[in-house]
Amino acid sequence: MIPDDAGGGRAAVQELLRALVDANGILLEDLAAALFSLPPELAGLRAAQAAREMGWDHVPLFELSQPARADDLPRCLRVLLLWNTDRSQGDVRHIYLGEAVRLRPDLVCGEEEER
C-alpha cells in the first residue's frame, strides 16, 4: 500500500519501478511506455513525476484513474510497462510489493513476499 504522505508515495512508486527494472534487466531505451493506474484514494499521487525524477525522461508516461470497487485492495498502485523484449511471457518477472502479493500469488517469486 502506498503511504499517505507525498514523499512516501513518491518513494513507493520509485521502489516498484526499480524492482521491475532490476528483476527483468530492463533498459530504459527499451521501454515503449509506462501506464500507472491509480485508485480514487491515490488521485493526488504524481506517479509519472516520480518516474521522471528517476531519469525516465524519454519514456512516455500515462496516469489513469481506476474506478472505486468495494473489493479492491486499498491504496494499491498498478503499473503496466510496455517493454520491447525478446523474452517469452513466462520469462518476465512480475513484481507485487507489500499487500499486493495477494492479488496474484501465482506470479510472486519469493523476493517480493519478503519486502
Side-chain angles (χ1 to χ4, degrees):
M1 291 193 319
I2 302 290
D4 287 333
D5 63 290
R10 182 177 61 252
V13 170
Q14 292 174 346
E15 177 186 10
L16 178 56
L17 294 177
R18 274 191 211 91
L20 284 162
V21 166
D22 292 348
N24 290 290
I26 296 172
L27 300 175
L28 290 182
E29 57 263 23
D30 291 334
L31 287 175
L35 293 86
F36 299 93
S37 179
L38 305 166
E41 64 271 18
L42 293 179
L45 181 65
R46 305 282 308 263
Q49 181 179 348
R52 293 278 184 246
E53 290 172 2
M54 295 175 60
W56 291 43
D57 298 321
H58 300 291
V59 178
L61 305 171
F62 191 73
E63 293 180 6
L64 304 159
S65 296
Q66 52 189 71
R69 289 182 27 192
D71 62 341
D72 225 353
L73 186 62
R75 304 190 64 75
C76 183
L77 167 76
R78 291 169 171 86
V79 62
L80 173 66
L81 298 180
L82 304 181
W83 172 35
N84 296 308
T85 182
D86 291 329
R87 287 188 186 193
S88 70
Q89 194 173 35
D91 289 335
V92 174
R93 296 270 321 274
H94 302 276
I95 302 296
Y96 294 84
L97 302 178
E99 294 296 315
V101 299
R102 295 185 297 160
L103 297 173
R104 289 296 306 266
D106 57 314
L107 295 178
V108 175
C109 301
E111 291 178 21
E112 295 96 79
E113 293 175 297
E114 298 170 11
R115 292 184 189 183

